[in-house]
Amino acid sequence: MCMILIRLENSKKRCFSLGFLLLLCVSFIFTSGCISTDPSEQNSKPADLIDTGIDYSDPYNWLSLPNVSKEVDIFYVYPTVSSNETGSMPISDEGDRALAQGIFAAQASVYEPYGNVFAPYYRQMTTNVKMEDGMLATDTAEFKQGAADVEDAFEYYINNLNDGRPFIIAGHSQGTMALIELIKNKFGDDEELRSRLVAAYLIGYTVTDDDLAKAGLTAAEGPYDTGVVITYNTQSPTLVGRPMLMEGAHCINPLNWKTDSTYAPASENLGARFYNDSTGEFIREVVGYSDAQIDVETGALTTTIPEGEDLDIGSYPEGVYHRYDYAFWYRNLQQNVGDRINAYLLKT
């Protein structure tokens, strides 16, 4: 799956390496949505892009609008899947919509046994976004537009679709980036909203103490705490550079649900589940696939994959398993979603 890569610079800011981003454009072809914009608008101020808006009362603008049958909802935001040359995804593009549906099958299926999964299309920043050296990804008009779409979709969901049910928010990569902005903007001053949050699975991007403080939330410390943020970034133990991490990253081990360096052997892995992310086609499932251990100095979730395994990691450096943040820990994640929902319902 195509995820835009975030690198840690000496300034400790969230920024893209432009040269590395261009490499991503070659190999990452998985996509999702954006409303078409005039190419001339790509140089507009962020507010000019954001003001165009998306009508989330129209079912066409939702990737998933479920028949409500469960006690808990899931609000899911897919990762970067687009290589659209404008830098911003048109959600009316049928190819892009199909690719968003593919990654939905690969990732959101973790949550579907336990919740009603709502997922909006949004005009995300693509791998072809134009950026100057040292520019922050979160400062681009294209990212702000996509994050504003996610916020609009969430507000529509809460006001018109949720009907007071408890909910989980979940995402990956750029989806998580947008959700971090959402929780900072919407949750910090809204105690009632926080009280209905079962958990936030903000996977594949750095979540810091500052993010949590602004959102009025805390990081998960075990398998059953609720109203908390679950986050990690997967890589090999030998990776140098930690391109998906920034200083202060929180991390929880999805095999043993500890936040220290306690080692979890592969025997604790209930099943890695691999999909073709662009089509959603199931490929294989492997019980006991790999181990997991937190590097407490960097906040990385480290794992050693089976010998001889040939994984497609795209243009990421060797040992970056960002594309497999869901796949490696699929069954453990799925079980944990059920555990946290049960814990929440028992408390309430």
Side-chain angles (χ1 to χ4, degrees):
M1 166 52 49
C2 161
M3 306 5 172
I4 290 179
L5 184 60
I6 314 298
R7 301 183 68 184
L8 172 62
E9 305 295 344
N10 292 334
S11 63
K12 301 179 183 177
K13 292 182 177 180
R14 306 178 180 204
C15 56
F16 286 104
S17 166
L18 183 58
F20 199 77
L21 181 62
L22 294 177
L23 287 176
L24 290 178
C25 298
V26 175
S27 65
F28 291 148
I29 61 172
F30 312 112
T31 62
S32 101
C34 297
I35 282 178
S36 298
T37 57
D38 188 304
S40 65
E41 293 180 0
Q42 297 308 310
N43 295 321
S44 301
K45 295 178 181 180
D48 295 332
L49 289 172
I50 293 169
D51 287 346
T52 60
I54 290 178
D55 179 9
Y56 284 107
S57 68
D58 186 348
Y60 177 79
N61 295 322
W62 288 86
L63 169 58
S64 177
L65 278 177
N67 293 319
V68 173
S69 60
K70 300 179 176 69
E71 293 182 80
V72 173
D73 291 346
I74 316 294
F75 184 83
Y76 166 82
V77 182
Y78 52 83
T80 307
V81 293
S82 174
S83 56
N84 189 286
E85 292 183 357
T86 68
S88 179
M89 282 296 307
I91 64 171
S92 58
D93 183 279
E94 290 303 320
D96 294 344
R97 292 168 72 89
L99 290 166
Q101 293 159 17
I103 192 59
F104 179 91
Q107 293 185 349
S109 55
V110 163
Y111 307 99
E112 286 181 311
Y114 301 107
N116 314 297
V117 182
F118 294 82
Y121 288 108
Y122 70 108
R123 296 169 293 181
Q124 63 176 213
M125 173 178 58
T126 80
T127 58
N128 273 311
V129 68
K130 301 299 188 292
M131 298 181 62
E132 299 177 1
D133 289 341
M135 187 177 185
L136 302 181
T138 50
D139 285 342
T140 65
E142 291 81 3
F143 173 77
K144 288 184 177 183
Q145 176 179 256
D149 287 347
V150 169
E151 187 169 313
D152 287 347
F154 182 76
E155 287 187 357
Y156 183 84
Y157 154 74
I158 287 293
N159 293 329
N160 299 279
L161 304 172
N162 171 256
D163 199 26
R165 290 183 296 276
F167 60 89
I168 285 171
I169 61 173
H172 186 237
S173 197
Q174 188 177 169
T176 285
M177 291 170 62
L179 287 172
I180 290 172
E181 296 305 307
L182 172 71
I183 63 173
K184 290 191 297 184
N185 292 338
K186 292 296 180 183
F187 283 66
D189 296 325
D190 195 329
E191 183 178 353
E192 192 277 334
L193 196 62
R194 294 197 306 271
S195 73
R196 289 196 285 126
L197 178 68
V198 175
Y201 288 80
L202 304 184
I203 296 168
Y205 192 67
T206 292
V207 177
T208 66
D209 283 337
D210 183 63
D211 295 329
L212 295 171
K214 289 177 179 176
L217 300 173
T218 58
E221 297 181 348
Y224 306 113
D225 43 354
T226 60
V228 294
V229 172
I230 296 94
T231 185
Y232 59 80
N233 293 276
T234 312
Q235 64 181 52
S236 73
T238 58
L239 178 66
V240 176
R242 304 180 300 279
M244 298 310 300
L245 289 171
M246 290 165 285
E247 187 171 314
H250 280 274
C251 183
I252 194 165
N253 188 324
L255 295 191
N256 59 22
W257 301 104
K258 296 181 182 295
T259 58
D260 59 19
S261 61
T262 302
Y263 177 73
S267 59
E268 296 183 27
N269 190 320
L270 301 179
R273 191 169 172 90
F274 298 89
Y275 290 81
N276 180 327
D277 289 343
S278 64
T279 66
E281 178 186 3
F282 169 68
I283 298 173
R284 61 182 173 130
E285 183 165 344
V286 184
V287 176
Y289 179 78
S290 63
D291 59 0
Q293 185 173 29
I294 296 174
D295 181 335
V296 293
E297 292 186 5
T298 66
L301 177 68
T302 66
T303 187
T304 301
I305 64 175
E307 186 175 352
E309 186 79 334
D310 184 19
L311 295 177
D312 179 8
I313 62 171
S315 293
Y316 292 114
E318 183 178 354
V320 176
Y321 299 135
H322 181 62
R323 296 177 68 176
Y324 301 95
D325 280 330
Y326 271 76
F328 284 0
W329 326 111
Y330 187 98
R331 291 301 184 190
N332 292 77
L333 275 175
Q334 194 170 70
Q335 181 184 74
N336 185 250
V337 170
D339 287 343
R340 289 188 197 275
I341 288 175
N342 287 337
Y344 179 93
L345 294 177
L346 284 172
K347 287 196 302 183
T348 57

